[in-house]
Each structure stands twice: as structure tokens, then as C-alpha cells.
Amino acid sequence: MKKCRRGICALLLAAVLLGLTGCMGRESGNMFALPEPPEDYRNLNAIISEIRSAIGGESIAPQSGSNTQTVQLQDLDGDGMQESAVAFFRVSGAERPLKIYVFRLREDDTYEQSCVIEGVGSAIGSVAYENVGGSEDKEVVVSWQISATDHALGVYSLYDVEGIELLWVDSYTRFRLADLDSDGAKELIALTLQTGEDGINRADFYDYDGAALELKTTALLTAGINEIRLLRNGNLTDMTPAIFVTSGFPESSDQVVDILACRDGQFTNVTLNNDTLRSEETIRSYTAVNGTDIDRDGVMEIPYPVQVPRAMGATDDFWLMDWRQFNGRGKPHTVMTTYHTITDGWYFNIPEEWLGRLTISRKDSTTADERAVLFSLYEGEGKAARPFMILYKLTGTNQQSRSSIGGRQVLLSNTTATYAYELFPEVWDTGLTEEELQQRFYLIRTEWSTEN
């Protein structure tokens, strides 16, 4: 059995490379012969073609998530080798039109069919392979798309010719897999939003009981939300694992974060106020920045916007972000304060001694190739603000020469922009060195999400 199987494309690439290196000593007539694909790939492709023809179906792919190929190589037994292949089909007109075939690689490097899972609906929404059954073997979690708005959820053990259904959920909004009780196996959390005035938004906690996934308990989500915008796994302050659920409201642009975790052995929404049925501490109107482990200490932080005071003549509002960690009782603790500019793609870690003495404004060029954020000393209402530091984003031509105009110094430079700063110690000598400024300046990372 081969030791590394990272996908059919990787195998074909290896075959191409072998073909190229092997042709150097051949006669010119054979130099451009196409490389032969690996034997196990040809065998798998033949089996899939036979099945597709026999069932009269078409190959399809899951529509979302991190596994969206029509054929997927997987390590299902946890031995570190991708010994299994999973293929997806749709048979129009069949009673159960969606088919998932699983193949195992034998010792002679040929594949054989090991099981098939059949489902109803129009498409496969997503598929995930996770250990939810308490052993090293992985199960498959399938979202079946019943209609444009309805999805069902199934979890299957793959060690039977027809697969063993461990869980079936008729309807759900989103789901997440996480080991919240730290037992070494992941639990499934199905989130469901109910429409209507009497609707209850809930999170159902399913855990393996030795034979199937059973509903163990349910936690409430914030009342009144109408969409789940983001799901992330993270940790509370004591490193307890949790799921951070970011949702929106129909009547406003506000959003809220519900934090789901196991506290004292009980699955619960740690931030929910039982009187208002809302996670009051995490509701915010500024939504351009989402929760992340911003200080990289292994604990998730949730941003809380704080408006800076306006100086005389200012017309725009500017906001700082207090980054707060939460404990198992839902109590927040601020660990960092930043200023984020999404349009310029950077953020700055604000020193604690600046808080209460800082106001912010902008001075951008009319050509949009020089954007500037002014950090000014706030000396009270009705008084003009005096800049003590300016941070620049320079694009277009002559970036380097413009980065040294006056007292400007380069902070960071890449292929698209040059970032510079200018200090005015006569207004306020903050004492920050160039190295400390560089340590507090960050580019905003683009985060790709493949949530269910």
C-alpha cells in the first residue's frame, strides 16, 4: 500500500513528473508520449465508470464545505494513509436519487466497493469526515439538500455494506462538529432558527452513546436572530473549547455572538442572559470586524466597539475595538485595544496609556494613492486636535520617495503598498521606538471560510 495519498491530482502530477524525468534518455520519437496514470488510479476510475453506467447516474460534488470534489481520497481508519475513496452520484427519477459510494484500497493496490449510502433530495449540501463514534475510525457527516431552503443531516458509520445510520436530523439551519466535552471524540451541534414570534432558536447537542448519536441536551440561542453569519471553534479563558456563533437580527444591522460550551459537564450558552434571552455582552452595531484569536494566545477574543471622542470640527465617528475574552460564566475580560481600518487593510494595537487621550481622523489624498490616519491628542471638548502620529498607506507610483517626505519613516512594504509613519513628539512624545511601532502594526489577514 502506498504511504502517501493526497488526492488523485497529486498522483497524476507525480506521474507527469516521472514521465518527464524518464524521457531524457529516450529516442526523440518517444519524448512526447503521454505518461501513464498510476495503476490504482486506472482501477478506481474504471470502477467508478462501471457504477455510473450501471446505475444510470451522473457524478456530482458536494456544494459547500472543505470537501467539494466528485471523488475524494480519505484516511477513514486513522492510520495516516488515504486508503479510501468516496464518490458521489445522482440518479434522476430514483426513489433515493443521491448515492455516496465508498471504496477501500486493497493490498494489491486495487479498489473494491465497501459500502454505499443513499439519500433523498436534490443535491449533497456538504460532507465531512470526523471521529464522532469514539474510535479511531471516522464517520461521514452528510448534509442532504431537500429543497432550496431545507436541509436534512445524517451521520453514518461506513463499516457495513449499506452504511449504518448513527443520526438523522429532519431539518436544521447550520451544524458544527467539536469536542466540547474533551473526551477525544467530536460531538455534533445542530443549530436551528425558528421563524415567527413564538419561534425558539436552539442548539441541539448530540453525543455518541455506544450505538448511535443521541440528543443529550439543548441550549437556547439569542431570541430574535434571523440568520447565522459565522461559526468558529475556539477556547474560553481557561482553554475550555467552545463554539462561537455570530448571528444577525432582522430589524437592524446589529449582530450578536452566542458562546456554546460545556460548563460543569452541562452544554450551555455561557453568554445568554436568562431574563432577556439575549447574549447582551456580545451585541454590537459595528460588524466589520469579527471574533478571532487576535493576540495568538489560544483564546478567542470578541471585539467590542468603543467610540473615540470627537475633537472640535470633526464630523465623522471613529471606533476602537476592545478585544474581550470570556470565561465559563460568560464574564468578559479585555486583553487588547486596536484601531482597525478595513479599507486600508491594517490595524494598530493601541497602548493602554493612550486610552481617553486619543481622537482619530483621516486625511486622504484626492487621487486615492495616499491614505492617512491621524492619531491626535484629545484635550477636551471644544478644543482642536493636534496630531502626534500619522500612519500612511502609499500606493501607485513613487511610493518609496513619498515614504520619506518630511519626517516619514517606512513601517512595512510589500508588492502592493508601502506603509509609513510620522511622529510629532512636540505634541506628545509617546516614547514608542520604531521597533515598538512595527510590533504594534499589523496587516489584516483575509480569512477564507468553508463553514457548513
Side-chain angles (χ1 to χ4, degrees):
M1 186 178 290
K2 294 177 174 63
K3 297 298 183 183
C4 181
R5 304 179 180 279
R6 298 189 182 274
I8 289 174
C9 292
L11 294 174
L12 289 176
L13 177 61
V16 171
L17 294 175
L18 287 172
L20 291 175
T21 56
C23 70
M24 297 303 293
R26 297 178 183 177
E27 297 179 1
S28 59
N30 294 327
M31 287 185 65
F32 299 103
L34 291 175
E36 290 290 329
E39 179 64 31
D40 56 346
Y41 168 73
R42 294 202 301 270
N43 169 255
L44 177 60
N45 187 54
I47 293 176
I48 290 174
S49 296
E50 290 175 3
I51 290 174
R52 185 167 51 239
S53 177
I55 64 177
E58 60 176 327
S59 293
I60 61 172
Q63 296 185 329
S64 63
S66 57
N67 301 302
T68 55
Q69 305 82 17
T70 57
V71 179
Q72 302 170 14
L73 298 187
Q74 293 290 325
D75 172 21
L76 296 179
D77 61 7
D79 66 353
M81 294 182 289
Q82 292 178 317
E83 78 296 329
S84 299
V86 185
F88 305 87
F89 304 93
R90 178 169 48 220
V91 182
S92 299
E95 182 180 355
R96 301 175 71 84
L98 303 175
K99 319 284 185 181
I100 302 174
Y101 281 78
V102 181
F103 308 93
R104 300 282 180 175
L105 186 64
R106 299 186 298 195
E107 291 296 330
D108 61 356
D109 279 350
T110 62
Y111 282 92
E112 64 178 355
Q113 179 183 327
S114 62
C115 85
V116 60
I117 300 168
E118 297 182 314
V120 297
S122 60
I124 294 174
S126 67
V127 63
Y129 308 93
E130 296 286 357
N131 173 13
V132 295
S135 68
E136 292 183 356
D137 298 331
K138 293 180 181 177
E139 288 71 39
V140 60
V141 183
V142 185
S143 170
W144 305 99
Q145 181 172 314
I146 308 303
S147 68
T149 57
D150 295 326
H151 290 76
L153 191 64
V155 181
Y156 306 90
S157 171
L158 302 179
Y159 288 88
D160 188 89
V161 291
E162 295 183 354
I164 301 172
E165 186 178 281
L166 302 180
L167 173 68
W168 178 262
V169 178
D170 286 325
S171 179
Y172 75 101
T173 303
R174 300 280 289 273
F175 77 89
R176 197 69 171 174
L177 295 160
D179 182 10
L180 296 184
D181 58 7
S182 302
D183 66 349
K186 292 188 176 181
E187 297 80 47
L188 187 144
I189 296 87
L191 312 172
T192 303
L193 303 187
Q194 301 286 353
T195 59
E197 295 183 359
D198 297 329
I200 296 177
N201 302 316
R202 69 182 194 274
D204 293 330
F205 181 88
Y206 295 90
D207 200 4
Y208 188 69
D209 67 352
L213 285 166
E214 294 289 343
L215 176 61
K216 298 298 184 181
T217 186
T218 294
L220 296 180
L221 300 174
T222 289
I225 56 176
N226 71 327
E227 64 170 330
I228 296 175
R229 297 175 179 173
L230 185 64
L231 294 175
R232 283 186 177 161
N233 292 12
N235 292 320
L236 302 178
T237 53
D238 63 354
M239 304 309 290
T240 295
I243 299 174
F244 295 76
V245 184
T246 303
S247 305
F249 296 93
E251 72 276 7
S252 71
S253 60
D254 291 358
Q255 66 183 27
V256 64
V257 179
D258 290 304
I259 303 178
L260 306 175
C262 286
R263 185 182 70 197
D264 301 329
Q266 180 69 29
F267 176 68
T268 186
N269 183 346
V270 301
T271 47
L272 190 73
N273 183 317
N274 291 325
D275 294 326
T276 64
L277 294 183
R278 289 192 170 196
S279 291
E280 305 284 359
E281 286 285 358
T282 63
I283 295 177
R284 65 183 189 275
S285 56
Y286 184 90
T287 61
V289 180
N290 285 306
T292 188
D293 180 10
I294 195 166
D295 59 359
R296 299 173 177 85
D297 65 347
V299 177
M300 180 73 77
E301 285 87 30
I302 304 298
Y304 185 82
V306 178
Q307 187 174 352
V308 298
R310 281 189 185 182
M312 184 177 65
T315 58
D316 296 326
D317 292 330
F318 289 83
W319 302 80
L320 299 179
M321 291 294 115
D322 279 349
W323 291 89
R324 305 193 300 174
Q325 300 176 348
F326 284 80
N327 65 18
R329 302 292 172 181
K331 301 301 181 182
H333 168 65
T334 300
V335 297
M336 180 188 294
T337 300
T338 65
Y339 172 71
H340 275 65
T341 167
I342 303 300
T343 53
D344 293 354
W346 58 262
Y347 69 92
F348 188 78
N349 182 2
I350 303 296
E352 187 175 354
E353 56 269 23
W354 292 15
L355 302 180
R357 305 184 66 186
L358 173 67
T359 186
I360 297 174
S361 58
R362 293 201 67 106
K363 186 178 181 181
D364 301 330
S365 71
T366 57
T367 60
D369 61 358
E370 182 169 314
R371 300 178 59 83
V373 176
L374 284 65
F375 294 82
S376 301
L377 184 64
Y378 180 74
E379 298 180 284
E381 186 177 353
K383 294 185 179 180
R386 296 182 296 158
F388 62 87
M389 183 179 75
I390 304 177
L391 296 182
Y392 300 92
K393 179 183 181 180
L394 309 173
T395 56
T397 59
N398 305 319
Q399 293 178 29
Q400 290 300 318
S401 60
R402 286 187 286 129
S403 68
S404 58
I405 294 175
R408 297 179 185 179
Q409 299 288 329
V410 174
L411 263 177
L412 177 67
S413 183
N414 57 30
T415 57
T416 60
T418 297
Y419 302 87
Y421 71 93
E422 188 172 8
L423 298 178
F424 303 93
E426 66 275 13
V427 176
W428 186 17
D429 186 0
T430 63
L432 290 181
T433 65
E434 179 179 355
E435 181 180 2
E436 289 170 333
L437 281 169
Q438 290 175 335
Q439 291 173 347
R440 290 179 175 273
F441 181 85
Y442 296 88
L443 297 183
I444 296 175
R445 295 177 296 175
T446 300
E447 295 181 299
W448 293 91
S449 178
T450 55
E451 307 294 340
N452 297 303

